[in-house]
């Protein structure tokens, strides 16, 4: 770690030199999905941005504790209305238990992220698994006078918070007077003292099925509180990095700052990172407007927007070509261009893996090139600049293949391991040929299993048919003591 890492901090609005609280260690919390429906491609972009940041931190030598939660309770479509609980609504729609909804979409979320080669976080806590912690935090805020009870619900008192010299609005740069002026009229008969007050705990109406006991009656926790409860539990009252999509900055993250400061007297987060949005047709991708595509629809080609299917690694390459703080518009043309770029990159890596050096001199300064790549990586995780540098090397590699450039054996080895590191480890791209081979292997294992079952059932006609038809395709099955294996011709 000989290079300073600079990170754009939403709190200061500036790039700052990153200094972790504990040397060589990083605590990072990223708001996870609300698992009441399938994640769309926009959601994937945000999680991928933080996957890249996590990978980059690892590559730079930090030991990262990466916490990303699952929101499986308490995220209302409208903070004021209990009937708008997303899980309860969806469970009525699908005629399933709320926890069946949670399970179904958590499984989908993991499958999608795995498809795009996102690494799992080191801890993945759920809101429902931390109800006690949320009740304790609510009690603490009541004891300190930052919250009040109203009709069995508990609200955070924003005016009280500000009256103690604290500043609700410091992260999102909103002015509390303006916030009040804009919303006062809408909030006549509310049980809150002020419209900006937010729920820490909500009383459950009789029809509300997701409910837990609390000192204030049966209810469920507020969305903002769950992230404070889980980040505090696993990363401490103060930690290094908190991330999420740009749209979470207000009110969600603003509320987290207020809860943390009110509870513990310290700012909970040193560096706030916000990932920018994915757009399609120049409009933000979102379920509610219908302007969205599901990740698997893009990968399978089963959609009306793209002319062909795209491998997950090409989607990933397309996302990595934009900086995480820039808006990215996804389009057919951009995906086709990414596909071309990606295959050039893969071709260069394959040249590197087989090239043998017979040269005494190098015509490429690998160390200088590495410095430029590291500079991009440490300049607020600038993936598009990093990729531009990778393509400098790609052009060089093709000229080297033609004998127009040279590298010594040592430099060749160095370039190879750096390219592999940046492409596979840091950018998280995958070799399509390799992943197609893995798919073929998995598919053949399925056929071998079916054949074994057919043999057991004495259905020799079917088992022979499987063997013979595979042979027609050049795949020979061999039965041995350890089971069946295959060879490809
Ligand atoms: P949600 O499940 O609604 O809480 O969203 C999960 C994550 O996806 C949040 O961090 C959002 O900020 C993010 N997100 C939502 N829409 C988009 C989009 N169009 N582009 C990028 N990220 C998004
Ligand atoms: Zn959160």
């Amino acid at each position: 770690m000989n290079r300073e890492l600079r990170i754009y901090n939403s709190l200061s609005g500036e790039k700052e030199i990153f200094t972790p609280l504990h040397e060589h260690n990083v605590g990072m919390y990223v708001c996870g999905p609300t698992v009441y429906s399938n994640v769309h491609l926009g959601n994937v972009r945000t999680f991928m941005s933080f996957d890249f940041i996590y990978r980059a931190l690892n590559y730079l030598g930090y030991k990262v504790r990466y916490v990303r939660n699952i929101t499986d309770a308490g995220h209302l479509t409208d903070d004021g209305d209990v009937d708008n609980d997303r899980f309860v609504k969806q469970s009525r729609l699908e005629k399933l238990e709320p926890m069946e909804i949670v399970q179904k979409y958590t499984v989908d979320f993991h499958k999608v992220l795995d498809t795009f080669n996102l690494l799992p976080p080191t801890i993945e806590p759920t809101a429902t698994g931390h109800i006690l912690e949320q009740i304790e935090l609510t009690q603490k805020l009541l004891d300190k006078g930052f919250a009040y009870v109203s009709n069995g619900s508990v609200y955070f008192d924003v005016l009280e918070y500000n009256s103690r010299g604290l500043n609700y609005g410091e992260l999102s740069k909103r002015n509390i007077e303006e916030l009040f002026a804009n919303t006062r009229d809408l909030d006549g008969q509310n049980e809150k003292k002020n419209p900006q007050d937010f729920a820490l705990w909500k009383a459950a109406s009789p029809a509300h099925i997701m409910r837990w006991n609390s000192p204030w009656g049966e209810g469920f926790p507020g969305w903002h509180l769950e992230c404070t409860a889980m980040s505090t539990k696993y990363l401490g009252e103060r930690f290094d990095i908190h991330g999420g999509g740009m749209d979470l900055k207000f009110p969600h993250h603003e509320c987290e700052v207020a809860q943390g400061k009110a509870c513990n007297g310290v700012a909970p987060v040193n560096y706030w990172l916000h990932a920018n949005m994915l757009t399609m047709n120049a409009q933000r991708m979102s379920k509610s407007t219908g302007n969205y595509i599901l990740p698997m629809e893009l990968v399978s080609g089963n959609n009306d927007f793209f002319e062909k299917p795209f491998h997950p690694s090409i989607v990933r390459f397309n996302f990595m070509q934009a900086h995480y703080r820039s808006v990215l518009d996804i389009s057919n043309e951009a995906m086709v261009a990414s596909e071309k770029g990606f295959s050039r990159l893969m071709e260069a890596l394959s040249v590197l893996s087989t090239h043998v050096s017979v040269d005494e001199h190098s015509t490429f300064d690998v160390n200088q090139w590495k410095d430029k790549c590291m500079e991009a990586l440490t300049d607020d995780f600038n993936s598009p600049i990093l990729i531009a540098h990778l393509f400098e090397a790609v052009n060089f590699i093709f000229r080297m293949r033609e004998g127009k450039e040279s590298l010594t054996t040592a430099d060749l080895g160095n370039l190879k391991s750096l390219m592999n590191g940046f492409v596979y480890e840091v950018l998280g791209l995958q070799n399509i040929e390799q992943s197609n081979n893995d798919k073929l292997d998995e598919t053949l294992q399925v056929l071998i299993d079916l054949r074994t079952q057919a043999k057991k059932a004495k259905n020799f006609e079917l088992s022979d048919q499987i063997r013979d038809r595979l042979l027609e395709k050049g795949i020979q099955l061999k039965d041995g003591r350890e089971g069946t294996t295959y060879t490809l011709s």
Side-chain angles (χ1 to χ4, degrees), residues 210-444:
M210 291 185 92
R211 54 204 300 141
W212 291 266
N213 275 325
S214 82
W216 318 285
E218 285 194 358
F220 57 94
W223 173 40
H224 312 311
L225 194 65
E226 70 169 85
C227 286
T228 298
M230 292 184 262
S231 60
T232 312
K233 175 155 182 172
Y234 298 109
L235 298 171
E237 292 173 357
R238 246 181 110 199
F239 57 95
D240 300 302
I241 295 177
H242 192 314
M246 208 71 113
D247 57 329
L248 299 188
K249 201 192 277 184
F250 186 87
H252 186 52
H253 293 161
E254 193 69 62
C255 295
E256 279 189 54
V257 173
Q259 289 164 163
K261 280 194 168 177
C263 255
N264 307 315
V266 286
V269 177
N270 282 349
Y271 301 86
W272 279 96
L273 272 64
H274 288 103
N276 218 326
M277 297 289 111
L278 183 71
T279 62
M280 193 162 77
N281 296 316
Q283 259 189 357
R284 190 186 138 183
M285 196 169 280
S286 140
K287 272 269 169 85
S288 58
T289 58
N291 183 48
Y292 72 91
I293 181 167
L294 295 181
M296 292 314 192
E297 292 173 342
L298 181 58
V299 169
S300 67
N302 183 17
N303 66 79
D304 299 330
F305 196 74
F306 294 87
E307 67 185 24
K308 60 194 283 282
F310 289 98
H311 189 277
S313 244
I314 295 169
V315 181
R316 187 162 180 132
F317 182 63
N318 177 270
F319 284 8
M320 291 291 113
Q321 283 177 296
H323 187 243
Y324 78 92
R325 280 194 294 117
S326 307
V327 172
L328 170 64
D329 193 61
I330 189 155
S331 67
N332 192 59
E333 296 70 49
M335 283 304 300
V336 170
S338 292
E339 187 171 32
K340 283 199 185 121
F342 179 79
S343 65
R344 266 176 73 75
L345 186 60
M346 287 299 134
E347 194 183 338
L349 287 173
S350 121
V351 172
L352 271 186
S353 69
T354 51
H355 192 79
V356 180
S357 166
V358 287
D359 306 316
E360 282 174 21
H361 303 287
S362 293
T363 54
F364 187 72
D365 190 335
V366 179
N367 283 331
Q368 196 184 24
W369 170 82
K370 175 192 173 183
D371 273 356
K372 288 197 290 186
C373 294
M374 294 304 280
E375 169 60 26
L377 200 59
T378 52
D379 183 15
D380 195 25
F381 310 106
N382 201 320
S383 56
I385 305 273
L386 171 65
I387 290 174
H389 294 319
L390 296 186
F391 274 87
E392 245 179 76
V394 167
N395 291 335
F396 167 81
I397 291 162
F398 288 147
R399 289 199 305 273
M400 180 176 73
R401 178 172 58 180
E402 291 166 22
K404 294 177 182 159
E405 306 273 4
S406 57
L407 275 187
T408 61
T409 308
D411 279 345
L412 180 66
N414 201 5
L415 181 62
K416 196 156 97 180
S417 76
L418 286 166
M419 279 292 276
N420 285 338
F422 289 133
V423 171
Y424 299 127
E425 272 177 61
V426 180
L427 293 172
L429 301 174
Q430 283 171 308
N431 186 324
I432 294 185
E433 226 172 84
Q434 180 58 43
S435 67
N436 282 345
N437 283 346
D438 293 348
K439 278 255 157 58
L440 176 66
D441 183 63
E442 284 163 19
T443 312
L444 286 174

Side-chain angles (χ1 to χ4, degrees), residues 10 78 104 117 209-210 263 364 366 400 403 420 455 468:
S10 300
D78 165 3
K104 177 176 170 184
N117 201 25
I209 31 184
M210 291 185 92
C263 255
F364 187 72
V366 179
M400 180 176 73
N420 285 338
K455 273 170 117 181
D468 296 344

Side-chain angles (χ1 to χ4, degrees), residues 48-109:
M48 197 186 287
S49 294
F50 288 102
D51 179 63
F52 167 61
I53 288 170
Y54 174 49
R55 285 167 176 274
L57 289 167
N58 281 322
Y59 192 76
L60 294 171
Y62 292 104
K63 186 171 185 313
V64 187
R65 179 176 292 174
Y66 174 21
V67 184
R68 189 186 63 212
N69 69 299
I70 296 278
T71 296
D72 58 352
H75 192 166
L76 306 182
T77 50
D78 165 3
D79 195 35
D81 187 350
V82 175
D83 290 330
N84 282 335
D85 184 307
R86 290 165 196 246
F87 301 100
V88 177
K89 257 183 151 176
Q90 193 65 22
S91 71
R92 281 195 199 122
L93 211 67
E94 296 195 35
K95 298 198 170 44
L96 292 171
E97 273 289 308
M99 283 318 266
E100 284 182 303
I101 293 293
V102 162
Q103 179 68 9
K104 177 176 170 184
Y105 293 110
T106 303
V107 168
D108 173 76
F109 172 68

